[in-house]
Amino acid sequence: MPVDLAGLRFWASPELTSLHRLSMRSPTGPRDGSPWFRRLDGLWRFRLLDRPQDVVPEVGDAAFDDGTWDEVEVPSCWTMQGYDRPHYTNVQMPFPDAPPSVPDANPTGCYRTRFEVPPSWSGRRVVLHLGAAESAVAVLVNGALAGISKDSHLAAEFDITPFVEFGASDNVLACVVVKWSDGSHLEDQDHWWHGGLTREVFVRSEPPVHLADVKAIGGRSVDLVDGTLELRVTVDGPDGVPEGWRVDAELRTSGGAPVDLLGALGGPVPSARGFGFTGHVVRNRVVVPGAPAWSSETPTLHHLAVSLVDPAGDIVDEATVRVGFRRVEIGGRELRINGRPVLVRGVNRHDFHPDNGRVLTADDLRADVVAIKQWGFNAVRTSHYPNDPRFLDLCDEHGLYVIDEANLETHASMFTLCHDPNYLSAWVERGARMVLRDKNHASVIAWSLGNESGHGANHEAMAAWIRRYDPSRPLHYEGAVMLGLDLGSSVTDVVCPMYPPIERIVAWAEHPVAGDERPLIMCEYSHAMGNSNGCLAEYWAAVESHHGLQGGFIWEWWDHGLRQTLGDGTARFSYGGDWGDVPNDFNFCLDGVVWPDRRPKPALWEHRQLALPVRLRLVDGAVRVENRQDFRGLSWLRLTCDVLVEGAVVESVEVQLPDVEPGGSADLDVSPRGESLLFRVLLAGDESWAPAGFELGFAQLDAAFEREGVARRPVALESGVVGWPAAVVEPPALALWRAPIDNDWIRAGAAGETPADRWRKWGLDRASTKCPPGIEHRQTFHALDGDGILVEEEVVVGDEYGDLARVGSVLVIGAGLEHLEWFGRGPVETYPDRKLGAPVRRWTSTVTDEYVPYVKPQEHGGHEDVRWVRLLDEGGRGVELRFDDRPLHVSVSHFAARDLAEARHDVELVARSEVIVHVDAAHRGLGTASCGPDTLHQYLVGPGTYRWRWSVIPVG
Ligand code: GAL
Ligand code: MG
């Protein structure tokens, strides 16, 4: 019978969340290798139509001729396969239609494939699994409508038994995927819009009486000594479950050893029906004496094997679940994991891939988790939807706390849809189905109701459902939070603001709301757009010194730059507008701590440093180590120490690291000497996420600092003429401007003027040729005893210049001086409010390598606390700049600031052959103002008098 999909108009019916979709369950069924599992991923027939109304009723029929259709890979985003286009918007919807309407022009992908249902499957039920379809899908099997589903980030399963032909290899599966649906209004997250079948597709065979779901939640006893396991096994069959069926369950360690339990697992499946019947459910609650606790530091998992046994004693269905025993509680302004108020060092993560949109392989996911661990994070918020389910398996395994978020963001209609009864079912289901899928993951410590969707009755319904189904985890929802007011506690158990200024969270901590037991964990903070993440250290100082503050999640992991090949073959990372996508939000999607290919941005060094499991300090002349972890000793770490003099290593030693308990400290057997001690914190053995020897970070302690090398004496210039070293092609001029970083485009001030706008208006970008009025610059030159020039500079900045980018000098060095050495912070770039991730010592590099590839070019490559810098040619000749009075901020580059400011993409930059050197007496902090607070006051460059002295000395 032909199916009239157009008549159904399922894509514009918010009350229709699904049709014939099976209840969500935990993914415990058979997988690759099992005779009951068939993967359908691969090349499918594909045709993209302009509107869902154009789908012909015969599209799913076996006889329908798809021979002229294209072939595409499933899973994939069709937008990344040459169809339609990716489209980037943040708050605004990509189309003007008000909910629940969608545009008439509505790309609709028709997919067809053929699949075998083996004869051995006959007599059993066949379930189709669609991992994800964006944003609404109708499924046809051999021409019959098997069902409909919405929610672009959760799987849909359908019982297709009645429609398949057993023993046939040409069963036809057709999926009609409609890009814009009523559901799109609930999926207005800040990322690219795509379309397609974006996760795996498979069919599996289940016995008629089968395991419908296994809920297995590991916890800990109140005294935290023992593990606990809540097990709830649901069995189902075509006519209920007759007498005589049984569930067996067995718990083993990950190594396979049986585990002793207090209480029994498994039992007979109730078969009765009618009033008083609680379902075909087997429930157990057992104690696992002395079971090791799961935490991000100690991710120990156990294996639970569940089998369904028929009356004859045969096992007919099986499930395995990995269980971690941990307890999550809220109380006394703490979120406690296993009794400890763990500090959340989190990051927000989207499913993202530069070539595939949001289609990820197991390797992609693993690489993410490994990198997230390596950079010192202990938590992830799956912003803003349930991530690929394999991601949570990896978090269980490697140890990451997860806030699992429902696929619900109505940013453009923030204050309406949450009250709209037409969307009530969608609301509840998006939360409930996430919880049903992910309930067994030890890593999930809280459920998030979504993001930026206001706070309405629909949220209350979702929260109530989740609280009743899973009392073991707290709820998280930013949309209901107002700092300092006890609002929203019905839908959120944590106070989880986004981008609060430091003084606001401190004020919150210092003025508790009576009766509010909730801790504060920032759901988003430290916006990583471009060269950013200033003041991370100050956030952490506040968190560590105030009870009630428990950290937060950096925004965000990925720079969402999609790789795009231009007509001339150039490949670039693209952002909003690059695909002709209108309207768009430009480069606001480039705000991650990793670039689109997962290379780390410099900000990660800062985070890693702040997250180090140990802290080293000088106390009464001794080096003291403090264990800052919650659950682990120090035996997994190794410590080496370099003794530095004039920035060079004069001695290297291995330091004995005592095994201090969490929170404890001990003095090390190492005496301060040289100018500073540079400790490296390394892995003693292999961890699942990094090999032995991997460096977690460092600690640098100043020792008795006797600086060698005396500054050379200035003498009068002969004949008053400055004899610059030959390498200097343009002598030092005044520099007050930088190529604006994204944070410099702050939407602030009554006039809507950003610092970057003001700098232009003031002419700061032209200061080297024309000093802006109200600013005075004096340079005095002296010859140096021996050779070279001493430059004395004074800049007086008038009160009308409230906020400058920098005060310094810029000079140009001739081509060929490519080799770079410096004594200062490195190797990664540092700025006044982001410099802890880089120790002070001697470094070598090249001018070319100093480039930092922000996708939209901007100021980069700065080094704080530089004592000297040398630029040399291959023969070791060149020039040295010395800052003997005080260390300065230096950058060297093949790009002038205006080159960076004018380019829209990194690939447009053309390197100059000469070297542009900036020497700054003051450089503005970075802050995070592209979304959040600006840098702190002490890092601004304002009016006043700046004096600095430096020498330019020929080398060789
Ligand atoms: C938040 C939002 C994120 C992202 C971020 C800015 O408001 O929750 O999804 O848009 O701002 O990058
Ligand atoms: Mg948003």
PDB file of all heavy atoms in Angstrom, residues 22 106 173 192 194 227 332 339 364 403 417 458 594 607 616 635 655 671 702 719 749 763 806 874 937 951:
ATOM      1  N   LEU A  22       9.995   2.151  19.089  1.00  0.00           N
ATOM      2  CA  LEU A  22      10.091   1.366  20.319  1.00  0.00           C
ATOM      3  C   LEU A  22      10.629   2.243  21.441  1.00  0.00           C
ATOM      4  O   LEU A  22      11.323   3.232  21.188  1.00  0.00           O
ATOM      5  CB  LEU A  22      11.035   0.173  20.118  1.00  0.00           C
ATOM      6  CG  LEU A  22      10.589  -0.853  19.063  1.00  0.00           C
ATOM      7  CD1 LEU A  22      11.701  -1.884  18.829  1.00  0.00           C
ATOM      8  CD2 LEU A  22       9.302  -1.558  19.492  1.00  0.00           C
ATOM      9  N   ASN A 106      12.644  22.743   1.681  1.00  0.00           N
ATOM     10  CA  ASN A 106      13.028  21.938   2.837  1.00  0.00           C
ATOM     11  C   ASN A 106      13.744  20.682   2.343  1.00  0.00           C
ATOM     12  O   ASN A 106      13.107  19.651   2.071  1.00  0.00           O
ATOM     13  CB  ASN A 106      11.749  21.576   3.616  1.00  0.00           C
ATOM     14  CG  ASN A 106      12.064  20.931   4.944  1.00  0.00           C
ATOM     15  OD1 ASN A 106      13.230  20.727   5.289  1.00  0.00           O
ATOM     16  ND2 ASN A 106      11.019  20.587   5.682  1.00  0.00           N
ATOM     17  N   LEU A 173      14.925  -1.130   2.459  1.00  0.00           N
ATOM     18  CA  LEU A 173      14.754  -0.143   3.528  1.00  0.00           C
ATOM     19  C   LEU A 173      14.871   1.238   2.898  1.00  0.00           C
ATOM     20  O   LEU A 173      15.858   1.527   2.210  1.00  0.00           O
ATOM     21  CB  LEU A 173      15.843  -0.326   4.586  1.00  0.00           C
ATOM     22  CG  LEU A 173      16.013   0.800   5.595  1.00  0.00           C
ATOM     23  CD1 LEU A 173      14.753   0.984   6.440  1.00  0.00           C
ATOM     24  CD2 LEU A 173      17.209   0.514   6.518  1.00  0.00           C
ATOM     25  N   TRP A 192      26.689  24.037  13.354  1.00  0.00           N
ATOM     26  CA  TRP A 192      26.254  23.931  11.957  1.00  0.00           C
ATOM     27  C   TRP A 192      24.957  23.141  11.869  1.00  0.00           C
ATOM     28  O   TRP A 192      24.770  22.165  12.585  1.00  0.00           O
ATOM     29  CB  TRP A 192      27.307  23.189  11.122  1.00  0.00           C
ATOM     30  CG  TRP A 192      28.608  23.905  10.986  1.00  0.00           C
ATOM     31  CD1 TRP A 192      29.709  23.748  11.773  1.00  0.00           C
ATOM     32  CD2 TRP A 192      28.972  24.864   9.984  1.00  0.00           C
ATOM     33  NE1 TRP A 192      30.729  24.560  11.324  1.00  0.00           N
ATOM     34  CE2 TRP A 192      30.304  25.248  10.227  1.00  0.00           C
ATOM     35  CE3 TRP A 192      28.304  25.436   8.897  1.00  0.00           C
ATOM     36  CZ2 TRP A 192      30.977  26.177   9.436  1.00  0.00           C
ATOM     37  CZ3 TRP A 192      28.976  26.360   8.115  1.00  0.00           C
ATOM     38  CH2 TRP A 192      30.296  26.720   8.385  1.00  0.00           C
ATOM     39  N   HIS A 194      23.077  20.525   9.614  1.00  0.00           N
ATOM     40  CA  HIS A 194      23.365  19.561   8.547  1.00  0.00           C
ATOM     41  C   HIS A 194      22.077  18.817   8.208  1.00  0.00           C
ATOM     42  O   HIS A 194      20.990  19.238   8.606  1.00  0.00           O
ATOM     43  CB  HIS A 194      24.423  18.549   9.012  1.00  0.00           C
ATOM     44  CG  HIS A 194      25.801  19.124   9.186  1.00  0.00           C
ATOM     45  ND1 HIS A 194      26.572  19.542   8.131  1.00  0.00           N
ATOM     46  CD2 HIS A 194      26.552  19.328  10.296  1.00  0.00           C
ATOM     47  CE1 HIS A 194      27.746  19.976   8.578  1.00  0.00           C
ATOM     48  NE2 HIS A 194      27.764  19.866   9.893  1.00  0.00           N
ATOM     49  N   GLY A 227      30.279  -1.255  47.384  1.00  0.00           N
ATOM     50  CA  GLY A 227      29.534  -0.915  46.180  1.00  0.00           C
ATOM     51  C   GLY A 227      28.091  -1.385  46.325  1.00  0.00           C
ATOM     52  O   GLY A 227      27.796  -2.280  47.111  1.00  0.00           O
ATOM     53  N   GLY A 332      25.039  20.589  51.421  1.00  0.00           N
ATOM     54  CA  GLY A 332      26.005  21.505  52.019  1.00  0.00           C
ATOM     55  C   GLY A 332      26.790  22.290  50.986  1.00  0.00           C
ATOM     56  O   GLY A 332      27.988  22.504  51.122  1.00  0.00           O
ATOM     57  N   GLY A 339      31.655  10.969  48.275  1.00  0.00           N
ATOM     58  CA  GLY A 339      31.867  11.729  49.502  1.00  0.00           C
ATOM     59  C   GLY A 339      32.750  12.955  49.360  1.00  0.00           C
ATOM     60  O   GLY A 339      32.865  13.736  50.290  1.00  0.00           O
ATOM     61  N   ASP A 364      37.913   8.526  16.092  1.00  0.00           N
ATOM     62  CA  ASP A 364      37.713   9.958  16.368  1.00  0.00           C
ATOM     63  C   ASP A 364      37.324  10.157  17.827  1.00  0.00           C
ATOM     64  O   ASP A 364      37.829  11.051  18.513  1.00  0.00           O
ATOM     65  CB  ASP A 364      36.556  10.528  15.516  1.00  0.00           C
ATOM     66  CG  ASP A 364      36.847  10.504  14.029  1.00  0.00           C
ATOM     67  OD1 ASP A 364      38.026  10.609  13.652  1.00  0.00           O
ATOM     68  OD2 ASP A 364      35.881  10.388  13.243  1.00  0.00           O
ATOM     69  N   ILE A 403      28.246  15.457  32.340  1.00  0.00           N
ATOM     70  CA  ILE A 403      26.888  15.989  32.426  1.00  0.00           C
ATOM     71  C   ILE A 403      26.278  15.739  31.065  1.00  0.00           C
ATOM     72  O   ILE A 403      26.748  16.250  30.048  1.00  0.00           O
ATOM     73  CB  ILE A 403      26.876  17.479  32.807  1.00  0.00           C
ATOM     74  CG1 ILE A 403      27.403  17.599  34.240  1.00  0.00           C
ATOM     75  CG2 ILE A 403      25.460  18.047  32.683  1.00  0.00           C
ATOM     76  CD1 ILE A 403      27.196  18.944  34.890  1.00  0.00           C
ATOM     77  N   LEU A 417       8.325  28.376  23.745  1.00  0.00           N
ATOM     78  CA  LEU A 417       8.083  26.952  23.528  1.00  0.00           C
ATOM     79  C   LEU A 417       8.082  26.145  24.826  1.00  0.00           C
ATOM     80  O   LEU A 417       7.407  25.135  24.928  1.00  0.00           O
ATOM     81  CB  LEU A 417       9.111  26.380  22.549  1.00  0.00           C
ATOM     82  CG  LEU A 417       9.016  26.936  21.123  1.00  0.00           C
ATOM     83  CD1 LEU A 417       9.982  26.207  20.198  1.00  0.00           C
ATOM     84  CD2 LEU A 417       7.594  26.822  20.595  1.00  0.00           C
ATOM     85  N   ASN A 458       6.964  22.820  30.663  1.00  0.00           N
ATOM     86  CA  ASN A 458       7.484  21.631  29.975  1.00  0.00           C
ATOM     87  C   ASN A 458       8.752  21.116  30.660  1.00  0.00           C
ATOM     88  O   ASN A 458       8.983  19.903  30.730  1.00  0.00           O
ATOM     89  CB  ASN A 458       7.778  21.953  28.508  1.00  0.00           C
ATOM     90  CG  ASN A 458       6.511  22.234  27.716  1.00  0.00           C
ATOM     91  OD1 ASN A 458       5.401  21.955  28.192  1.00  0.00           O
ATOM     92  ND2 ASN A 458       6.664  22.791  26.523  1.00  0.00           N
ATOM     93  N   VAL A 594      40.684  23.351  20.911  1.00  0.00           N
ATOM     94  CA  VAL A 594      41.455  22.685  19.852  1.00  0.00           C
ATOM     95  C   VAL A 594      40.989  23.212  18.507  1.00  0.00           C
ATOM     96  O   VAL A 594      39.832  23.563  18.331  1.00  0.00           O
ATOM     97  CB  VAL A 594      41.356  21.135  19.885  1.00  0.00           C
ATOM     98  CG1 VAL A 594      41.968  20.594  21.153  1.00  0.00           C
ATOM     99  CG2 VAL A 594      39.930  20.628  19.703  1.00  0.00           C
ATOM    100  N   HIS A 607      45.392  25.523  30.936  1.00  0.00           N
ATOM    101  CA  HIS A 607      44.445  24.672  31.659  1.00  0.00           C
ATOM    102  C   HIS A 607      45.146  23.496  32.305  1.00  0.00           C
ATOM    103  O   HIS A 607      44.936  23.175  33.472  1.00  0.00           O
ATOM    104  CB  HIS A 607      43.345  24.154  30.722  1.00  0.00           C
ATOM    105  CG  HIS A 607      42.373  23.294  31.470  1.00  0.00           C
ATOM    106  ND1 HIS A 607      42.486  21.930  31.549  1.00  0.00           N
ATOM    107  CD2 HIS A 607      41.323  23.633  32.259  1.00  0.00           C
ATOM    108  CE1 HIS A 607      41.532  21.467  32.324  1.00  0.00           C
ATOM    109  NE2 HIS A 607      40.813  22.468  32.760  1.00  0.00           N
ATOM    110  N   LEU A 616      53.574  22.197  43.652  1.00  0.00           N
ATOM    111  CA  LEU A 616      54.862  22.312  44.343  1.00  0.00           C
ATOM    112  C   LEU A 616      55.040  23.737  44.825  1.00  0.00           C
ATOM    113  O   LEU A 616      54.698  24.686  44.109  1.00  0.00           O
ATOM    114  CB  LEU A 616      56.008  21.924  43.402  1.00  0.00           C
ATOM    115  CG  LEU A 616      56.323  20.417  43.364  1.00  0.00           C
ATOM    116  CD1 LEU A 616      55.237  19.657  42.655  1.00  0.00           C
ATOM    117  CD2 LEU A 616      57.654  20.171  42.678  1.00  0.00           C
ATOM    118  N   SER A 635      51.823   7.486  43.455  1.00  0.00           N
ATOM    119  CA  SER A 635      52.761   6.496  42.913  1.00  0.00           C
ATOM    120  C   SER A 635      52.661   6.388  41.391  1.00  0.00           C
ATOM    121  O   SER A 635      53.553   5.844  40.749  1.00  0.00           O
ATOM    122  CB  SER A 635      52.499   5.126  43.544  1.00  0.00           C
ATOM    123  OG  SER A 635      51.179   4.746  43.249  1.00  0.00           O
ATOM    124  N   VAL A 655      63.636  13.153  40.952  1.00  0.00           N
ATOM    125  CA  VAL A 655      63.305  13.437  42.360  1.00  0.00           C
ATOM    126  C   VAL A 655      62.402  12.333  42.884  1.00  0.00           C
ATOM    127  O   VAL A 655      61.454  11.923  42.217  1.00  0.00           O
ATOM    128  CB  VAL A 655      62.575  14.798  42.470  1.00  0.00           C
ATOM    129  CG1 VAL A 655      62.229  15.106  43.911  1.00  0.00           C
ATOM    130  CG2 VAL A 655      63.424  15.896  41.867  1.00  0.00           C
ATOM    131  N   SER A 671      67.218  20.289  46.990  1.00  0.00           N
ATOM    132  CA  SER A 671      67.475  21.604  47.590  1.00  0.00           C
ATOM    133  C   SER A 671      67.453  22.677  46.509  1.00  0.00           C
ATOM    134  O   SER A 671      67.994  22.491  45.417  1.00  0.00           O
ATOM    135  CB  SER A 671      68.821  21.594  48.302  1.00  0.00           C
ATOM    136  OG  SER A 671      69.807  21.208  47.389  1.00  0.00           O
ATOM    137  N   ASP A 702      61.381  29.618  41.871  1.00  0.00           N
ATOM    138  CA  ASP A 702      62.559  30.481  41.865  1.00  0.00           C
ATOM    139  C   ASP A 702      63.454  30.105  43.019  1.00  0.00           C
ATOM    140  O   ASP A 702      62.996  29.933  44.138  1.00  0.00           O
ATOM    141  CB  ASP A 702      62.143  31.953  42.020  1.00  0.00           C
ATOM    142  CG  ASP A 702      61.562  32.468  40.722  1.00  0.00           C
ATOM    143  OD1 ASP A 702      61.837  31.857  39.678  1.00  0.00           O
ATOM    144  OD2 ASP A 702      60.809  33.460  40.766  1.00  0.00           O
ATOM    145  N   SER A 719      78.869  61.538  17.017  1.00  0.00           N
ATOM    146  CA  SER A 719      78.285  62.436  16.019  1.00  0.00           C
ATOM    147  C   SER A 719      76.753  62.411  16.032  1.00  0.00           C
ATOM    148  O   SER A 719      76.118  62.847  15.088  1.00  0.00           O
ATOM    149  CB  SER A 719      78.778  62.081  14.604  1.00  0.00           C
ATOM    150  OG  SER A 719      78.193  60.864  14.187  1.00  0.00           O
ATOM    151  N   GLY A 749      29.608  49.259  25.653  1.00  0.00           N
ATOM    152  CA  GLY A 749      29.562  50.714  25.548  1.00  0.00           C
ATOM    153  C   GLY A 749      28.262  51.161  24.917  1.00  0.00           C
ATOM    154  O   GLY A 749      27.713  50.469  24.055  1.00  0.00           O
ATOM    155  N   GLY A 763      43.188  55.988  15.678  1.00  0.00           N
ATOM    156  CA  GLY A 763      44.356  55.915  14.800  1.00  0.00           C
ATOM    157  C   GLY A 763      45.516  55.143  15.408  1.00  0.00           C
ATOM    158  O   GLY A 763      46.674  55.325  15.020  1.00  0.00           O
ATOM    159  N   ARG A 806      48.378  47.883  23.313  1.00  0.00           N
ATOM    160  CA  ARG A 806      49.758  47.681  23.759  1.00  0.00           C
ATOM    161  C   ARG A 806      50.466  49.030  23.806  1.00  0.00           C
ATOM    162  O   ARG A 806      50.031  49.983  23.167  1.00  0.00           O
ATOM    163  CB  ARG A 806      50.516  46.760  22.789  1.00  0.00           C
ATOM    164  CG  ARG A 806      50.623  47.354  21.416  1.00  0.00           C
ATOM    165  CD  ARG A 806      51.402  46.605  20.345  1.00  0.00           C
ATOM    166  NE  ARG A 806      51.888  45.291  20.546  1.00  0.00           N
ATOM    167  CZ  ARG A 806      51.814  44.315  19.630  1.00  0.00           C
ATOM    168  NH1 ARG A 806      51.214  44.563  18.463  1.00  0.00           N
ATOM    169  NH2 ARG A 806      52.335  43.133  19.857  1.00  0.00           N
ATOM    170  N   GLU A 874      71.768  31.386   9.251  1.00  0.00           N
ATOM    171  CA  GLU A 874      72.309  30.031   9.359  1.00  0.00           C
ATOM    172  C   GLU A 874      73.734  30.003   9.873  1.00  0.00           C
ATOM    173  O   GLU A 874      74.152  29.053  10.498  1.00  0.00           O
ATOM    174  CB  GLU A 874      72.215  29.320   8.012  1.00  0.00           C
ATOM    175  CG  GLU A 874      70.806  28.825   7.798  1.00  0.00           C
ATOM    176  CD  GLU A 874      70.582  28.257   6.427  1.00  0.00           C
ATOM    177  OE1 GLU A 874      71.529  28.237   5.616  1.00  0.00           O
ATOM    178  OE2 GLU A 874      69.445  27.828   6.170  1.00  0.00           O
ATOM    179  N   HIS A 937      40.911  44.213  35.466  1.00  0.00           N
ATOM    180  CA  HIS A 937      41.403  45.577  35.380  1.00  0.00           C
ATOM    181  C   HIS A 937      42.928  45.654  35.337  1.00  0.00           C
ATOM    182  O   HIS A 937      43.511  46.428  34.577  1.00  0.00           O
ATOM    183  CB  HIS A 937      40.851  46.364  36.575  1.00  0.00           C
ATOM    184  CG  HIS A 937      41.160  47.811  36.473  1.00  0.00           C
ATOM    185  ND1 HIS A 937      42.150  48.412  37.219  1.00  0.00           N
ATOM    186  CD2 HIS A 937      40.650  48.767  35.668  1.00  0.00           C
ATOM    187  CE1 HIS A 937      42.219  49.679  36.891  1.00  0.00           C
ATOM    188  NE2 HIS A 937      41.325  49.926  35.956  1.00  0.00           N
ATOM    189  N   SER A 951      68.283  47.084  24.490  1.00  0.00           N
ATOM    190  CA  SER A 951      69.486  47.201  23.665  1.00  0.00           C
ATOM    191  C   SER A 951      69.346  46.357  22.415  1.00  0.00           C
ATOM    192  O   SER A 951      68.760  45.280  22.458  1.00  0.00           O
ATOM    193  CB  SER A 951      70.721  46.694  24.410  1.00  0.00           C
ATOM    194  OG  SER A 951      70.624  46.958  25.777  1.00  0.00           O
TER     195      SER A 951
END
